[in-house]
Amino acid sequence: MKAFLFFKRISKRMFYRVFLTYSLIIFLTMSTLFVFLSEYYSDFIVQREIDRQEAVIDEIKSEIHAKHQFVSQGIRQLYQEERLIEDLAFALQHDYQEYIGYRLDKFSSSDSFVPYNFDIYVKNYFSRDSESIALRVRNESLGTEYMYLFDHGRWNQHIQPKEDSSFMLENQPLPKDKYVVPKDMYVVEEQINDPVSMDRLGKVMVYFSYENLDRLLSLKDTPSKGTFFITDMNKRLYYSNGNAPERLLRDLSYSAVQKKVNLDERYYIQSSIEPTSQLMVTAVISEKEMAQLLTYKLTIFSIIVLLTVLSIALPYIALRGYSKRVDEILNKMREVQEGNLSARIITANVDDDLTDISHTINETLDDLNDYIDRVYLSKLKQREAELANLQAQINPHFLYNTLEAIRMKSLAEGGRTSAKMIVQLAQLFRYSLKTEDLVTVENEINHAQQYIELFKIRFQNQLIDNFNVEEKIRDYYTPSFILQPLIENFLLHGFRRDSETNQLAVTIYEQNDILIIDIEDNGSGIEHKKLEDIKSRLKQEEGTSDSIGLGNVHRRIQLKYGAEYGVEIRSVPNVKTSVTVKLPLISEV
């Protein structure tokens, strides 16, 4: 609620309205610019990272393809050497002991002193690749199997043997009961056929480590962000590098794809299939891993905030001086409104519209003071004379009515009552001869009560009066002859002489620093048309010389204190009449 009142108050000031409107436009403009630049650079950075990942995917595919090419080329060379393929065919179709005898026979019948067989070929060719760990040859129908190890250390690191495999030496065949399960290695398989009959002899499986891929992803100039997976069409995982959750692969189809996935955070996924191996290479990167994305956003945000502050602060500083001059003009105008006609606006050396306004107001105040000296003061003296004349009219009129009451009562009674009336008349007359402009409420009440008592002597038991006044109110001041003329209106025009239930209530109280006098009677009231005529005459700015009673009191109050004070009258015919007098609250003279 306080915030609403604050904005409502400042909205009335032109400076704040212009400044707030300008600030709102700047804020909306800068916010739109931030959103645009943030989205533009976000898309740019995301696309750049996706392009980088695509290049890495191509390199991984090339690495996989190279391994297949390496193995395929080795098998083709094997077919080109007749004795090598014969040696391999015999080994796969016989057990190890028979194969050893066959090799010895071949060596003894050979003219060369250097043996050359399948074992030597495997060692010379396949060990050239630093990532090749082992080669396995197997005849699935006969169960014949040979294992050639090129790197014992890495093999023992990556396998889980069923039994002790310490006997496995380089170029030694691995018997069937010593089968081992490869782990974290990439296997390239090639089928071996008889070159004459084309019957299937078995297959060759070459085991490679993923060290080249690890180096590819970590030892580049700028290490690749994100996670990389290698899977087959059955979603079996062959290789992973990174921290992305593997559950992202569940809903990923076996195809080349590029999409966004919202899991616990946003991930960008793209995949591609290597045609030779039919393996799918998938790259996954999260928004959190794009460190530059947050840096760009923070940089753009900081620049936008700086520009916004400068765009708002500089005009504020420039317009603040202008606003202070407007405030000074308004303050001086309020001083003039409160009656300080000597107030003047200090004009600046700047030649602008506010300087022209200040000069114009100062000149207007000078002319106004001259007019007051020439016209207003003379008129004020005239009104003071009129006020004195109005106040003086009350005494003869009041004296005439009182003497008439004494005359009528003297005709009806003896001298005792007349003497009492004459005493009270003397007191009333003495009060009317006082020259004080202001009297206490206590004195004004006493004067009114004496008048009522004088009236009661004439109309015994026909009037009940009640004065309700707080004690502190009695010490306040009021113009003299306020109550008596208003009470006299009731006694002359509303009093019912044939009734013994006439009532008069006078209540005096304080409300919002205003002294209120309520006079209410249950007399004959006033007809609507006559009441409107009385109200109309009360609103007239100028009174007449013979205006007494209600109009006299109203005119005196307004001449002395202004239009916000005076007399108000309400009446219901044959029911009641209420008169309310509003006076300034005067606690001391």
Side-chain angles (χ1 to χ4, degrees), residues 72 110 152 158 251 269 279 293 313 321 470 492:
S72 296
S110 174
H152 290 274
H158 290 289
D251 299 328
I269 301 176
L279 295 177
L293 183 60
E470 295 182 10
L492 291 180

Side-chain angles (χ1 to χ4, degrees), residues 216-249:
L216 175 68
L217 298 176
S218 61
L219 300 181
K220 297 176 63 177
D221 295 337
T222 55
S224 298
K225 301 181 180 66
T227 302
F228 294 87
F229 298 105
I230 298 177
T231 57
D232 60 14
M233 62 179 62
N234 296 319
K235 298 184 181 179
R236 185 172 58 180
L237 183 63
Y238 284 79
Y239 173 79
S240 66
N241 183 293
N243 300 319
E246 294 181 10
R247 62 181 183 273
L248 288 169
L249 301 175

Side-chain angles (χ1 to χ4, degrees), residues 287-430:
E287 279 191 341
K288 288 183 179 180
E289 291 180 288
M290 299 182 186
Q292 288 185 339
L293 183 60
L294 179 61
T295 303
Y296 271 111
K297 286 187 176 181
L298 291 176
T299 303
I300 294 173
F301 179 76
S302 301
I303 294 174
I304 292 296
V305 169
L306 178 61
L307 292 177
T308 302
V309 171
L310 291 177
S311 300
I312 294 176
L314 293 179
Y316 176 82
I317 296 172
L319 292 174
R320 186 57 184 165
Y322 195 86
S323 176
K324 288 182 178 179
R325 293 172 62 195
V326 173
D327 291 341
E328 183 182 357
I329 293 175
L330 290 175
N331 291 333
K332 293 298 181 181
M333 294 303 296
R334 290 192 186 98
E335 290 185 25
V336 173
Q337 187 179 14
E338 293 171 358
N340 182 16
L341 298 181
S342 62
R344 294 295 182 273
I345 302 171
I346 301 175
T347 57
N349 295 326
V350 181
D351 187 11
D352 57 9
D353 51 352
L354 288 184
T355 302
D356 294 338
I357 292 173
S358 300
H359 283 303
T360 302
I361 293 175
N362 289 339
E363 292 173 358
T364 301
L365 289 173
D366 292 338
D367 294 340
L368 182 60
N369 282 329
D370 292 339
Y371 177 80
I372 291 174
D373 291 339
R374 288 185 288 105
V375 178
Y376 179 74
L377 292 179
S378 61
K379 185 154 186 154
L380 182 61
K381 293 178 180 179
Q382 179 182 352
R383 290 197 174 187
E384 288 178 352
E386 181 182 352
L387 176 61
N389 184 35
L390 288 171
Q391 190 168 356
Q393 290 178 13
I394 295 175
N395 297 336
H397 179 76
F398 170 64
L399 184 59
Y400 171 79
N401 287 326
T402 305
L403 291 175
E404 177 65 17
I406 295 174
R407 186 183 69 81
M408 296 298 295
K409 192 63 179 176
S410 297
L411 293 176
E413 293 183 356
R416 183 186 303 174
T417 303
S418 300
K420 182 179 178 181
M421 295 177 68
I422 292 172
V423 171
Q424 290 181 336
L425 176 61
Q427 293 177 351
L428 293 174
F429 191 68
R430 185 181 302 112

Side-chain angles (χ1 to χ4, degrees), residues 24 33 52 99 126 143 145 165 174 196 199 202 404 455 529:
L24 181 60
L33 182 61
R52 286 181 179 177
Y99 173 60
F126 288 99
E145 183 175 289
S165 60
L174 182 64
V196 178
D199 293 335
E404 177 65 17
F455 187 84
K529 183 177 181 181

Side-chain angles (χ1 to χ4, degrees), residues 101 144 156 197 218 240 248 521 526:
T144 307
N156 292 330
S197 64
S218 61
S240 66
L248 288 169
D521 63 72
I526 307 171

Side-chain angles (χ1 to χ4, degrees), residues 174-237:
L174 182 64
K176 181 178 179 180
D177 60 345
K178 299 298 182 180
Y179 172 69
V180 293
V181 180
K183 180 183 178 183
D184 296 332
M185 288 186 288
Y186 179 59
V187 182
V188 178
E189 297 183 1
E190 284 285 343
Q191 184 172 307
I192 303 296
N193 298 322
D194 189 316
V196 178
S197 64
M198 296 305 296
D199 293 335
R200 181 173 180 178
L201 296 177
K203 63 179 179 180
V204 175
M205 291 167 283
V206 183
Y207 296 85
F208 296 95
S209 70
Y210 289 109
E211 292 180 358
N212 257 10
L213 294 184
D214 292 335
R215 284 194 295 270
L216 175 68
L217 298 176
S218 61
L219 300 181
K220 297 176 63 177
D221 295 337
T222 55
S224 298
K225 301 181 180 66
T227 302
F228 294 87
F229 298 105
I230 298 177
T231 57
D232 60 14
M233 62 179 62
N234 296 319
K235 298 184 181 179
R236 185 172 58 180
L237 183 63

Side-chain angles (χ1 to χ4, degrees), residues 72-85 116 121 195:
S72 296
Q73 184 177 356
I75 299 302
R76 286 197 300 270
Q77 290 184 14
L78 181 65
Y79 280 120
Q80 293 173 2
E81 301 266 354
E82 182 178 352
R83 54 181 174 171
L84 290 180
I85 195 64
Y116 185 65
Y121 171 76

